[in-house]
Amino acid sequence: MTLKITWNEASARRMERQSLAVPARGGTPVADVVGAMLGAHAQVLSAAEVSVGVRADGVTRADVRAALWEDRSLVKTYGPRGTVHLLPTAELPLWTAALTAIPSGRSPFAPAVRLTEEQADEVVAAIGDALDGARLTIDELSDEVVARTGSWAGDLVMPAFQGMWPRWRQVMHRAGQRGALCFAPNRGRKVTYTRPPHFEPLAADEGLALLVGRYLRAYGPATPGRFAKWAAAPRGWATELFASLAGAGVIEEVDFEGPAWVAAGDTEFPEAPVRGVRLLPYFDAYAIAAGPREMLFPGPAYARALAGGQAGNFPVLLVDGVVAGVWHQRRRGGRTTVTVEPLEGLTAKRERELAEQVERVGEILEARAELVVGRVTAGPHA
């Protein structure tokens, strides 16, 4: 008989494993916290710092930056979905194997703009060579890539924000996913890049199996479709991957709002539902990966906190493991004002918990935080 999992059980386990039910103890390595999240989205570094900080007692942005730029236990690079993430440096063999094995979709560029596969491989190799032992700005890296490949790589054919970018930049994310590129500390206001420490990637099959298992332990039960959305992978490919892993005994089927999967043997779930208030920043891993979306973003939260079905565009207020509002902050000097807009009224107990969470956000960002509660649309949330 197939094991049936309820939303409350799944939500409680995910929050527990994300250190959102109870934050990780002080002294837990920052890289361990990021590893449990399967990476922290870091297009905006301050959001990644909050994502990590709310999951670990005492961690501030200084601790995240020290892990990133000083002890190098974290690396800022292109991760899942080709977006910028913080990843544990020790896990790069896994991530590189898995991410490069995921089929890419159709190129969004016109045929005359695209690189051939041979050209793409040549560019990635050139990036790795240029950044080995160096820290380069994007313009310096562009000069090096063109010098190592040919003028075709520098053709200004890619539409950009205020002009055109050189052709080679369309595979910049691929260089990150292959371990040829990562971010380095800024040079003044300019972003710089370097190459992460050399490593040997795992075999593709091993990397994919490990990644699916890690994903299911963190965010399962999940369907192939949910994994495909999280990984920006073709749905049919993900369905075949899950079928092969099931046949190999790596994952097993459960009933969670229909057929879904967990890692083999990972069938223990908390009995008590999750309780408490949490603030998650832009593109937090939990808001992106946990599903089904209709249950994580119930009722009016689906319209208010999702942008066209896209999670992450709004920082969210979690109450008892589901989205119950949005928030934003404005910093001036050493003070930040955190404005929270709950979708339902909060009880006095919830307001006290919210104030504690706002204070914690301030600690993470090394600022004095002030809470402002915005417009409430319904009655009190118990």
Side-chain angles (χ1 to χ4, degrees):
M1 182 176 178
T2 303
L3 178 66
K4 185 175 180 62
I5 309 300
T6 67
W7 166 258
N8 282 340
E9 290 171 332
S11 178
R13 192 172 86 166
R14 291 165 176 169
M15 293 282 285
E16 180 181 283
R17 292 185 174 181
Q18 287 286 300
S19 296
L20 289 172
V22 178
R25 291 180 296 179
T28 301
V30 170
D32 290 356
V33 178
V34 174
M37 298 166 62
L38 293 191
H41 191 282
Q43 192 72 44
V44 178
L45 184 58
S46 61
E49 293 163 354
V50 174
S51 277
V52 177
V54 297
R55 290 167 165 84
D57 279 339
V59 167
T60 70
R61 66 177 184 175
D63 298 305
V64 177
R65 293 177 185 185
L68 186 57
W69 307 128
E70 295 175 21
D71 66 45
R72 305 292 290 174
S73 60
L74 289 180
V75 63
K76 181 181 177 184
T77 189
Y78 292 92
R81 303 175 300 282
T83 54
V84 179
H85 275 69
L86 303 185
L87 299 174
T89 306
E91 294 183 0
L92 288 178
L94 158 65
W95 282 105
T96 297
L99 293 176
T100 56
I102 295 173
S104 58
R106 295 179 60 184
S107 172
F109 301 107
V113 176
R114 298 174 195 166
L115 294 167
T116 66
E117 280 303 308
E118 292 76 14
Q119 288 174 325
D121 288 342
E122 190 177 349
V123 167
V124 170
I127 290 172
D129 288 343
L131 292 177
D132 201 3
R135 293 180 179 178
L136 303 178
T137 66
I138 190 65
D139 292 335
E140 292 167 344
L141 178 57
S142 188
D143 290 342
E144 293 290 340
V145 168
V146 172
R148 284 169 165 78
T149 55
S151 60
W152 54 267
D155 291 341
L156 299 178
V157 294
M158 284 181 60
F161 298 107
Q162 295 179 340
M164 304 294 279
W165 282 345
R167 188 189 309 274
W168 72 267
R169 287 189 62 172
Q170 64 191 273
V171 293
M172 194 168 177
H173 69 285
R174 191 182 301 189
Q177 291 179 334
R178 289 188 183 179
L181 168 150
C182 68
F183 289 76
N186 283 5
R187 187 192 302 165
R189 293 190 174 183
K190 292 186 176 181
V191 174
T192 71
Y193 303 90
T194 189
R195 182 170 185 156
H198 287 268
F199 60 89
E200 189 67 32
L202 300 178
D205 290 348
E206 181 183 4
L208 284 172
L210 287 172
L211 182 61
V212 170
R214 290 274 302 278
Y215 172 83
L216 292 176
R217 289 183 183 278
Y219 301 109
T223 63
R226 284 296 313 152
F227 176 79
K229 191 173 185 67
W230 174 80
R235 183 183 292 262
W237 173 86
T239 299
E240 293 178 1
L241 174 63
F242 272 52
S244 69
L245 294 176
V250 176
I251 63 176
E252 63 179 275
E253 186 175 351
V254 295
D255 181 356
F256 175 60
E257 303 298 319
W261 299 89
V262 296
D266 190 29
T267 55
E268 295 294 325
F269 288 82
E271 294 183 1
V274 66
R275 292 286 183 252
V277 174
R278 293 289 183 271
L279 294 175
L280 303 183
Y282 288 107
F283 291 99
D284 186 84
Y286 182 83
I288 290 175
R293 286 269 168 85
E294 295 79 6
M295 301 190 75
L296 180 60
F297 295 80
Y302 197 89
R304 180 65 183 91
L306 292 174
Q310 171 68 50
N313 288 308
F314 295 97
V316 296
L317 164 69
L318 291 186
V319 177
D320 299 342
V322 298
V323 175
V326 298
W327 64 282
H328 59 88
Q329 64 165 316
R330 175 173 295 178
R331 180 160 183 162
R332 292 182 178 176
R335 179 179 296 276
T336 185
T337 300
V338 177
T339 302
V340 182
E341 300 175 17
L343 293 169
E344 295 183 355
L346 300 175
T347 63
K349 179 177 183 294
R350 293 299 193 220
E351 286 190 359
R352 289 193 297 271
E353 292 177 352
L354 177 57
E356 292 172 355
Q357 289 298 301
V358 168
E359 183 179 0
R360 177 66 188 125
V361 168
E363 291 172 352
I364 295 164
L365 297 176
E366 299 174 322
R368 298 186 304 278
E370 175 187 4
L371 168 63
V372 175
V373 179
R375 184 170 61 91
V376 178
T377 59
H381 194 301

XYZ file of all heavy atoms in Angstrom, residues 296-363:
516
model
N 1.263 26.063 -0.862
C 2.230 26.928 -0.208
C 1.768 28.384 -0.266
O 2.038 29.161 0.655
C 3.601 26.792 -0.876
C 4.726 27.645 -0.293
C 4.976 27.298 1.177
C 6.002 27.475 -1.099
N 1.083 28.748 -1.340
C 0.552 30.099 -1.514
C -0.982 30.006 -1.548
O -1.595 30.144 -2.605
C 1.064 30.718 -2.816
C 2.543 30.955 -2.869
C 3.431 29.920 -3.159
C 3.065 32.210 -2.622
C 4.797 30.138 -3.220
C 4.438 32.437 -2.674
C 5.300 31.398 -2.967
N -1.631 29.752 -0.412
C -3.078 29.495 -0.429
C -3.900 30.767 -0.627
O -3.495 31.862 -0.233
C -3.331 28.903 0.960
C -2.277 29.527 1.826
C -1.057 29.646 0.947
N -5.052 30.601 -1.245
C -6.013 31.691 -1.365
C -5.432 32.951 -1.971
O -4.789 32.926 -3.026
N -5.617 34.091 -1.297
C -5.148 35.367 -1.856
C -3.635 35.464 -1.970
O -3.129 36.307 -2.704
C -5.687 36.404 -0.866
C -5.939 35.653 0.403
C -6.341 34.278 -0.019
N -2.887 34.613 -1.253
C -1.429 34.653 -1.352
C -0.969 34.313 -2.759
O 0.070 34.806 -3.213
C -0.798 33.683 -0.346
N -1.720 33.478 -3.469
C -1.323 33.076 -4.814
C -1.290 34.282 -5.741
O -0.383 34.433 -6.567
C -2.277 32.010 -5.356
C -1.726 31.253 -6.536
C -0.969 30.099 -6.349
C -1.943 31.687 -7.844
C -0.449 29.396 -7.424
C -1.427 30.997 -8.928
C -0.678 29.847 -8.712
O -0.154 29.167 -9.777
N -2.271 35.170 -5.595
C -2.324 36.352 -6.450
C -1.369 37.439 -5.970
O -0.761 38.145 -6.778
C -3.754 36.895 -6.503
N -1.198 37.566 -4.643
C -0.416 38.680 -4.101
C 1.085 38.423 -4.122
O 1.884 39.344 -4.350
C -0.862 38.959 -2.654
C -0.101 40.106 -1.969
C -0.384 41.415 -2.670
N 0.375 42.516 -2.080
C 1.588 42.902 -2.475
N 2.206 42.230 -3.457
N 2.198 43.926 -1.913
N 1.482 37.182 -3.847
C 2.907 36.907 -3.627
C 3.589 36.190 -4.779
O 4.783 35.903 -4.708
C 3.078 36.088 -2.343
N 2.857 35.884 -5.834
C 3.443 35.277 -7.028
C 3.280 36.237 -8.194
O 2.219 36.823 -8.376
C 2.767 33.941 -7.372
C 2.993 32.780 -6.399
C 2.130 31.593 -6.809
C 4.455 32.379 -6.370
N 4.321 36.398 -8.976
C 4.257 37.258 -10.155
C 4.055 36.382 -11.382
O 5.000 35.789 -11.893
C 5.536 38.076 -10.280
N 2.805 36.261 -11.828
C 2.516 35.401 -12.972
C 2.872 33.952 -12.718
O 3.292 33.240 -13.627
N 2.725 33.499 -11.462
C 3.068 32.134 -11.104
C 4.525 31.943 -10.748
O 4.938 30.846 -10.398
N 5.332 32.999 -10.818
C 6.755 32.928 -10.533
C 7.007 33.245 -9.067
O 6.698 34.333 -8.598
C 7.512 33.923 -11.417
C 8.978 34.085 -11.060
C 9.796 32.851 -11.351
O 9.728 32.304 -12.449
N 10.556 32.401 -10.381
N 7.563 32.291 -8.332
C 7.902 32.522 -6.933
C 9.214 33.272 -6.832
O 10.085 33.136 -7.688
C 7.999 31.197 -6.176
N 9.358 34.051 -5.778
C 10.618 34.700 -5.485
C 10.647 36.185 -5.739
O 11.522 36.885 -5.222
N 9.718 36.696 -6.528
C 9.746 38.117 -6.849
C 9.302 38.994 -5.685
O 9.482 40.210 -5.728
C 8.872 38.403 -8.071
C 9.499 37.887 -9.352
O 10.638 38.185 -9.651
N 8.762 37.081 -10.095
N 8.706 38.378 -4.670
C 8.325 39.103 -3.463
C 8.901 38.385 -2.248
O 8.783 37.162 -2.141
C 6.802 39.164 -3.313
C 6.097 39.942 -4.375
C 5.539 39.296 -5.474
C 5.988 41.325 -4.296
C 4.883 40.001 -6.458
C 5.332 42.042 -5.280
C 4.776 41.389 -6.365
N 9.514 39.121 -1.296
C 9.816 38.508 -0.007
C 8.495 38.121 0.657
O 7.497 38.844 0.525
C 10.520 39.626 0.760
C 11.001 40.587 -0.278
C 9.984 40.516 -1.377
N 8.462 36.985 1.354
C 7.193 36.494 1.869
C 7.203 36.336 3.386
O 8.238 36.072 4.003
C 6.786 35.150 1.216
C 6.558 35.336 -0.276
C 7.830 34.070 1.471
N 6.025 36.509 3.958
C 5.747 36.218 5.356
C 5.163 34.818 5.429
O 4.163 34.523 4.763
C 4.736 37.232 5.905
C 4.037 36.887 7.223
C 5.023 36.936 8.384
C 2.852 37.827 7.463
N 5.811 33.938 6.184
C 5.277 32.600 6.424
C 4.614 32.565 7.788
O 5.186 33.034 8.775
C 6.382 31.541 6.406
C 7.092 31.185 5.108
C 8.041 30.009 5.357
C 6.115 30.856 4.000
N 3.425 32.020 7.840
C 2.750 31.734 9.111
C 2.362 30.263 9.080
O 1.630 29.824 8.196
C 1.514 32.624 9.329
C 0.802 32.237 10.622
C 1.917 34.099 9.390
N 2.889 29.513 10.008
C 2.636 28.073 10.083
C 2.981 27.365 8.777
O 2.268 26.457 8.325
C 1.180 27.792 10.489
C 0.837 28.360 11.859
O 1.765 28.655 12.637
O -0.364 28.522 12.144
N 4.066 27.796 8.160
C 4.586 27.091 7.000
C 3.969 27.444 5.666
O 4.349 26.861 4.646
N 3.036 28.394 5.623
C 2.453 28.813 4.340
C 2.559 30.320 4.211
O 2.691 31.055 5.197
C 0.975 28.370 4.199
C 0.860 26.857 4.234
C 0.098 29.006 5.264
N 2.511 30.807 2.983
C 2.649 32.235 2.732
C 1.384 32.957 3.193
O 0.270 32.606 2.813
C 2.911 32.498 1.239
C 2.921 33.993 0.944
C 4.245 31.866 0.825
N 1.579 33.974 4.030
C 0.458 34.723 4.600
C 0.650 36.223 4.436
O 0.002 37.011 5.121
C 0.293 34.370 6.077
N 1.547 36.617 3.533
C 1.766 38.033 3.298
C 3.086 38.270 2.601
O 3.808 37.334 2.251
N 3.392 39.550 2.384
C 4.646 39.949 1.760
C 5.285 41.034 2.619
O 4.662 41.586 3.519
C 4.436 40.459 0.318
C 3.859 39.364 -0.566
C 3.523 41.685 0.307
N 6.551 41.336 2.322
C 7.237 42.378 3.074
C 8.326 42.998 2.223
O 8.699 42.458 1.183
C 7.820 41.828 4.382
C 8.894 40.773 4.230
C 8.705 39.454 3.926
C 10.306 40.961 4.382
N 9.919 38.806 3.884
C 10.914 39.684 4.163
C 11.124 42.043 4.694
C 12.296 39.504 4.231
C 12.505 41.862 4.766
C 13.069 40.600 4.541
N 8.810 44.133 2.657
C 9.949 44.750 1.995
C 10.666 45.607 3.021
O 10.161 45.871 4.115
C 9.517 45.589 0.783
C 8.557 46.696 1.114
N 8.973 47.945 1.489
C 7.195 46.732 1.141
C 7.919 48.715 1.709
N 6.822 48.007 1.517
N 11.863 46.021 2.687
C 12.647 46.827 3.612
C 13.272 48.004 2.895
O 13.496 47.966 1.679
C 13.735 45.991 4.281
C 14.761 45.464 3.303
C 16.019 44.965 3.988
O 16.542 45.600 4.883
N 16.499 43.806 3.547
N 13.550 49.042 3.649
C 14.253 50.204 3.125
C 15.322 50.587 4.134
O 15.018 50.848 5.297
C 13.305 51.368 2.893
C 14.007 52.655 2.448
C 13.027 53.719 2.067
N 12.257 53.346 0.885
C 11.296 54.104 0.358
N 10.984 55.270 0.923
N 10.631 53.703 -0.703
N 16.555 50.599 3.673
C 17.672 50.875 4.576
C 18.194 52.289 4.366
O 18.367 52.741 3.237
C 18.798 49.866 4.360
C 19.994 50.102 5.281
C 20.856 48.883 5.400
N 21.954 49.097 6.341
C 22.663 48.121 6.894
N 22.367 46.869 6.614
N 23.639 48.389 7.723
N 18.449 52.939 5.493
C 19.094 54.250 5.481
C 20.155 54.238 6.562
O 19.838 54.215 7.753
C 18.078 55.368 5.739
C 17.077 55.558 4.616
C 16.124 56.697 4.899
N 15.201 56.910 3.804
C 14.205 57.808 3.827
N 14.036 58.565 4.908
N 13.402 57.933 2.786
N 21.405 54.240 6.137
C 22.499 54.182 7.087
C 22.449 52.904 7.898
O 22.365 51.808 7.353
N 22.482 53.040 9.207
C 22.479 51.875 10.074
C 21.102 51.430 10.505
O 20.972 50.614 11.422
N 20.055 51.942 9.861
C 18.682 51.583 10.225
C 17.954 51.035 9.001
O 18.134 51.537 7.886
C 17.935 52.799 10.768
C 16.474 52.522 11.159
C 15.803 53.766 11.707
N 16.444 54.200 12.947
C 16.139 53.692 14.140
N 15.236 52.733 14.236
N 16.743 54.135 15.211
N 17.145 50.001 9.204
C 16.313 49.474 8.129
C 14.873 49.397 8.598
O 14.592 48.960 9.723
C 16.800 48.089 7.654
O 16.029 47.675 6.524
C 16.692 47.043 8.748
N 13.966 49.859 7.768
C 12.536 49.791 8.067
C 11.949 48.604 7.324
O 12.034 48.531 6.092
C 11.822 51.077 7.634
O 12.394 52.183 8.331
C 10.336 50.997 7.956
N 11.389 47.665 8.072
C 10.798 46.458 7.493
C 9.284 46.620 7.516
O 8.666 46.661 8.597
C 11.224 45.197 8.272
C 10.546 43.955 7.690
C 12.740 45.048 8.241
N 8.687 46.721 6.343
C 7.236 46.862 6.221
C 6.642 45.521 5.833
O 6.990 44.967 4.789
C 6.866 47.927 5.178
O 7.457 49.177 5.545
C 5.358 48.087 5.089
N 5.751 45.004 6.679
C 5.124 43.695 6.458
C 3.653 43.913 6.142
O 2.961 44.659 6.842
C 5.274 42.798 7.700
C 4.656 41.426 7.441
C 6.747 42.650 8.089
N 3.188 43.273 5.079
C 1.784 43.378 4.669
C 1.126 42.009 4.795
O 1.125 41.215 3.856
C 1.690 43.867 3.228
C 2.323 45.223 2.993
C 2.314 45.622 1.526
O 1.539 45.004 0.748
O 3.082 46.521 1.154
N 0.570 41.678 5.979
C -0.108 40.388 6.127
C -1.421 40.382 5.352
O -2.072 41.419 5.191
C -0.344 40.282 7.635
C -0.287 41.673 8.140
C 0.569 42.464 7.215
N -1.785 39.204 4.855
C -3.041 39.067 4.117
C -4.216 38.838 5.054
O -5.369 38.952 4.637
C -2.928 37.912 3.117
C -1.929 38.161 1.986
C -1.659 36.899 1.202
C -2.432 39.263 1.067
N -3.918 38.507 6.297
C -4.940 38.413 7.331
C -4.398 39.077 8.583
O -3.182 39.192 8.762
C -5.294 36.950 7.635
C -5.931 36.208 6.485
C -6.320 34.792 6.870
O -6.000 34.367 7.995
O -6.944 34.118 6.037
N -5.293 39.503 9.448
C -4.862 40.102 10.694
C -4.091 39.108 11.544
O -4.329 37.901 11.491
N -3.141 39.598 12.312
C -2.326 38.757 13.167
C -2.760 38.910 14.620
O -3.065 40.025 15.073
C -0.848 39.132 13.033
C -0.228 39.010 11.643
C 1.204 39.536 11.668
C -0.259 37.576 11.150
N -2.781 37.822 15.341
C -3.059 37.883 16.768
C -1.888 38.559 17.478
O -0.809 38.738 16.903
C -3.256 36.479 17.349
O -2.030 35.745 17.196
C -4.386 35.754 16.643
N -2.087 38.899 18.741
C -1.027 39.537 19.524
C 0.204 38.628 19.597
O 1.346 39.094 19.506
C -1.532 39.877 20.915
N -0.015 37.324 19.742
C 1.110 36.379 19.812
C 1.891 36.384 18.504
O 3.127 36.416 18.502
C 0.590 34.975 20.108
C 1.676 33.894 20.178
C 1.061 32.554 20.555
C 2.134 31.477 20.697
N 2.782 31.172 19.421
N 1.177 36.372 17.375
C 1.845 36.386 16.076
C 2.581 37.707 15.852
O 3.659 37.743 15.257
C 0.829 36.161 14.955
C 0.191 34.783 14.929
C 1.236 33.720 14.731
N 0.654 32.436 14.412
C 1.087 31.290 14.874
N 2.113 31.274 15.729
N 0.530 30.153 14.523
N 2.014 38.802 16.325
C 2.688 40.087 16.172
C 3.988 40.120 16.961
O 4.989 40.687 16.506
C 1.759 41.226 16.606
C 0.649 41.522 15.608
C -0.097 42.798 15.946
O 0.239 43.442 16.975
O -1.003 43.165 15.171
N 3.998 39.510 18.139
C 5.240 39.441 18.910
C 6.282 38.599 18.184
O 7.465 38.963 18.124
C 4.961 38.860 20.305
C 4.197 39.799 21.227
C 4.241 39.300 22.658
N 3.592 38.012 22.815
C 2.300 37.851 23.086
N 1.498 38.904 23.206
N 1.785 36.633 23.240
N 5.848 37.476 17.611
C 6.774 36.641 16.847
C 7.309 37.397 15.631
O 8.501 37.293 15.293
C 6.069 35.361 16.388
C 5.705 34.410 17.523
C 4.951 33.195 17.015
O 4.589 33.168 15.824
O 4.727 32.274 17.808
N 6.426 38.156 14.985
C 6.842 38.934 13.822
C 7.887 39.980 14.216
O 8.881 40.175 13.516
C 5.634 39.605 13.169
C 5.911 40.515 11.973
C 6.638 39.757 10.872
C 4.613 41.115 11.445
N 7.664 40.649 15.340
C 8.628 41.644 15.807
C 9.987 41.004 16.062
O 11.033 41.597 15.760
C 8.104 42.324 17.065
N 9.983 39.789 16.590
C 11.244 39.078 16.825
C 11.938 38.753 15.508
O 13.172 38.848 15.403
C 10.980 37.790 17.612
C 10.528 38.025 19.047
C 10.084 36.745 19.730
O 10.049 35.680 19.041
O 9.748 36.788 20.927
N 11.157 38.375 14.496
C 11.737 38.069 13.197
C 12.315 39.308 12.532
O 13.376 39.259 11.891
C 10.689 37.422 12.286
C 10.312 36.008 12.684
C 11.496 35.067 12.601
O 12.092 34.891 11.542
N 11.857 34.466 13.722
N 11.632 40.430 12.674
C 12.143 41.688 12.130
C 13.453 42.065 12.817
O 14.415 42.496 12.164
C 11.091 42.805 12.266
C 11.700 44.172 11.974
C 9.920 42.536 11.323
N 13.498 41.896 14.124
C 14.737 42.159 14.850
C 15.867 41.265 14.348
O 17.010 41.706 14.199
C 14.518 41.941 16.351
C 15.742 42.257 17.202
C 15.489 42.062 18.683
O 14.357 41.685 19.055
O 16.426 42.271 19.473
N 15.527 40.004 14.077
C 16.544 39.072 13.580
C 17.045 39.498 12.199
O 18.252 39.419 11.913
C 15.949 37.652 13.526
C 16.900 36.615 12.959
C 18.102 36.387 13.861
N 19.100 35.530 13.212
C 20.371 35.845 13.030
N 20.844 37.012 13.463
N 21.188 35.019 12.432
N 16.158 39.947 11.321
C 16.588 40.435 10.006
C 17.566 41.593 10.178
O 18.580 41.683 9.481
C 15.374 40.844 9.156
C 15.813 41.614 7.905
C 14.571 39.621 8.744
N 17.263 42.484 11.118
C 18.179 43.582 11.389
C 19.539 43.094 11.840
O 20.576 43.611 11.399
N 19.560 42.095 12.726
C 20.837 41.540 13.194
C 21.641 40.967 12.027
O 22.854 41.171 11.933
C 20.576 40.449 14.229
C 20.018 40.953 15.545
C 19.611 39.808 16.460
O 19.635 38.641 15.987
O 19.269 40.063 17.623
